[in-house]
Each structure stands twice: as C-alpha cells, then as structure tokens.
Amino acid sequence: MALADAERTLSGCGTDSFSPFTEIIELNVGGQVYVTRHKTLIAVPDSLLWNMFSRKSPKELARDSKGRFFLDRDGFLFRYILDYLRDLNLVLPDYFPEKSRLQREAEFFQLRDLSKRLSPRLSKENSICEEISQSDTEDNAQQCGSSVCAEALRAMSVSSAMRSPSLDSRKSGYITIGYRGSYTIGRDIQTDAKFRRVARITVCGKTSLAKEVFGDTLNESRDPDRPPERYTSRYYLKYNFLEQAFDKLTEVGFHMVACSSTGTCAYTSNDPNEDKIWTSYTEYVFCRE
C-alpha cells in the first residue's frame, strides 16, 4: 500500500517514470502531424501543454481518427512552438511575416516568456526582433529630461529603422518567375492563340529574397524549412495571374532582364479542322541591383 501511494505521488509530480503517456507522442495540430517526446511537451511548467500532458490522462484528451492527440490550432506555426519547447530558444527565419500570429499562439499555449520575447516593446533584449518602437523612444526621452538625451534617442531610433528588415532587406539578387501552360493554334496556324488559365506560378531564387518580396503569398509547402541563404526552385505563388507577380516585383525595385519560352505540340490530329494543342514553359528573370 505504501509503495502504491508513493507511485501515485511521483505520478502526480509529472515524472516520466510513472507517466501514463508514452515517451514518443504523436500530435495532430490543425491537420499537421508532429512527433515529439513527452518531456518536450512538459518542458515549461504551468503551460497549457504541461497541464495537458502531466495533469491529465490520455483518455481525457481529444484524439483524431488515427489516435493522435488533436489540437485545433495553427499547424504551421506550431513547429516554432515545438522548437521553443526543445531548448527554450527560438530562431525565426529571415523576414518572418507572422510574428504577431506566433505571439498569439504563444499566449494560447501559456508560454509567457516566449510571448514577451515576441513583443516589439521588449525586442531590444532578444534576438527575435530588433526593432525599437517609437513609443519606447519617446518614453525614454521624457525620462532623460534633456534635449541632448532626446536628440540621442532620436538618432538611435533612426539608426534602428535603417537596420529594420523593411529597408535593410533590399539586397541585390535575381528572382525567376516561371509557369507551364497550354494553348491551341487554330487552322492555318492563326496568330490569335488562346491561352488557358495559369495553373501554377513558380518562384526560383534565394529563399530570403523570395520571402522578402512575396511574403504570405509565397507557398513553401513543397520545400519547407529551407535556410535563408540557400536557393530553391520549388516555391510557388498563390496568384492566378502573372501580372500580380510582376506588380509585386516592381513595387520592391526589381526589373525584368530576360525571358525565354519553349513550346511542344502535345496533341495533333490528321483532321485539318481540329485545333492543335501545344504545351509551353516560360521563364521571366527579374533583377534588383
């Protein structure tokens, strides 16, 4: 009896030895599947995941049809939550456009330290965001109480703005936009070719540059977690029209320097009254010096 009481006491403390959970846990977060260790999920005491996987039993938690623990949250952003839980540190990709949404996820999972680090007002002391807000600068100027100090703080604010991604990110480089299409040419090879809807617009170039230009309109699902300084040819855009991509590139200082296209007859008939169907691949090369 004494031994059983001791085991229950240890289990209530959340130790792995007597936990009802297995060492390896599968999660379904918003449709994205993650596999991690139980000790990773309970790394931060009093967090939501700590309460779920140390204070509750497996039977009390929601599961999907395959038995994985289910969380109805943003599956893409959860990978950064999991990275933070592994070593209580977080390094975001360059030009990460969803810091505010990630902060909201941190607040939901009751990760207070992570939420503070993602807050712009506290970003001067951490490596996630290095921007200094205007309100902070004005508050510090009032505390200084002198025109010399205020001028120094204004200079600091300008210097910080010059280092912010919105300006410093305008680095030179190349981006190639490509698409595959099909079209028909009527009888007697008429010149009014009928192009069909563009199914997918691909992006080739350096990862950091592509993310800077296209932001959340860039689909990274075919090549996730690509390091910022590596190149990729597997990204594509959430646009249906090439002009949308061209407008975006023009807005941030790119100009077209080359283009090329190839065409192949994919279907032809001996009947002269039937149109020929051609397939093509076209690339447009943009440069910012």
Side-chain angles (χ1 to χ4, degrees):
M1 178 69 72
L3 180 60
D5 291 340
E7 289 181 355
R8 282 195 295 270
T9 301
L10 288 173
S11 177
C13 293
T15 58
D16 291 338
S17 301
F18 301 98
S19 172
F21 295 93
T22 59
E23 180 184 2
I24 306 299
I25 291 181
E26 288 189 66
L27 302 172
N28 177 348
V29 184
Q32 299 290 324
V33 177
Y34 292 90
V35 181
T36 187
R37 292 183 179 275
H38 177 256
K39 65 179 182 180
T40 300
L41 297 175
I42 60 173
V44 177
D46 296 323
S47 66
L48 177 66
L49 292 172
W50 182 86
N51 279 290
M52 289 176 60
F53 291 94
S54 65
R55 293 294 183 88
K56 296 184 178 182
S57 68
K59 293 182 180 179
E60 297 178 81
L61 302 180
R63 294 175 182 258
D64 66 7
S65 60
K66 295 187 177 180
R68 295 175 291 226
F69 296 106
F70 178 75
L71 292 166
D72 189 17
R73 299 303 296 181
D74 191 312
F76 171 78
L77 293 177
F78 185 75
R79 60 172 150 177
Y80 301 109
I81 299 294
L82 201 57
D83 280 345
Y84 174 77
L85 292 174
R86 290 186 177 113
D87 55 10
L88 301 184
N89 191 24
L90 180 66
V91 179
L92 296 177
D94 288 349
Y95 320 116
F96 186 69
E98 298 187 284
K99 288 180 183 176
S100 60
R101 293 182 60 188
L102 181 57
Q103 183 183 11
R104 185 180 64 183
E105 294 299 301
E107 291 173 353
F108 174 82
F109 287 105
Q110 301 171 16
L111 300 171
R112 297 177 181 85
D113 182 63
L114 177 59
S115 179
K116 290 179 180 178
R117 292 175 62 187
L118 287 165
S119 173
R121 294 181 62 84
L122 299 179
S123 60
K124 189 177 178 182
E125 282 77 26
N126 64 66
S127 60
I128 295 179
C129 177
E130 297 180 357
E131 297 177 357
I132 300 177
S133 66
Q134 184 178 0
S135 59
D136 288 341
T137 304
E138 293 174 351
D139 291 343
N140 291 333
Q142 293 176 358
Q143 293 174 5
C144 276
S146 69
S147 60
V148 175
C149 182
E151 185 65 29
L153 287 171
R154 280 195 294 270
M156 183 187 301
S157 177
V158 171
S159 176
S160 175
M162 292 178 64
R163 292 194 303 269
S164 66
S166 60
L167 296 178
D168 186 55
S169 62
R170 294 178 65 89
K171 59 181 67 175
S172 60
Y174 290 84
I175 288 181
T176 300
I177 301 297
Y179 78 96
R180 298 184 184 277
S182 61
Y183 57 94
T184 60
I185 298 180
R187 289 170 293 174
D188 301 324
I189 314 182
Q190 298 175 3
T191 57
D192 55 340
K194 299 178 181 179
F195 288 85
R196 297 181 181 178
R197 184 185 183 91
V198 177
R200 177 168 293 179
I201 303 172
T202 61
V203 177
C204 308
K206 184 177 288 188
T207 299
S208 60
L209 202 58
K211 290 182 178 181
E212 175 213 332
V213 174
F214 295 109
D216 57 3
T217 62
L218 189 71
N219 194 319
E220 308 170 42
S221 60
R222 297 177 64 224
D223 197 4
D225 302 321
R226 171 71 64 167
E229 297 307 310
R230 298 291 295 275
Y231 289 82
T232 181
S233 61
R234 295 177 61 81
Y235 289 168
Y236 61 94
L237 299 177
K238 301 175 183 178
Y239 295 141
N240 292 321
F241 300 95
L242 286 170
E243 289 76 13
Q244 292 173 291
F246 295 167
D247 288 343
K248 194 69 174 179
L249 286 160
T250 303
E251 289 174 4
V252 292
F254 281 82
H255 62 277
M256 188 187 301
V257 295
C259 67
S260 64
S261 181
T262 60
T264 304
C265 186
Y267 171 78
T268 184
S269 172
N270 293 327
D271 187 349
N273 295 320
E274 291 191 14
D275 294 343
K276 295 180 179 180
I277 299 177
W278 293 73
T279 59
S280 67
Y281 178 71
T282 306
E283 288 186 337
Y284 303 89
V285 182
F286 288 81
C287 174
R288 185 171 67 189
E289 299 177 351

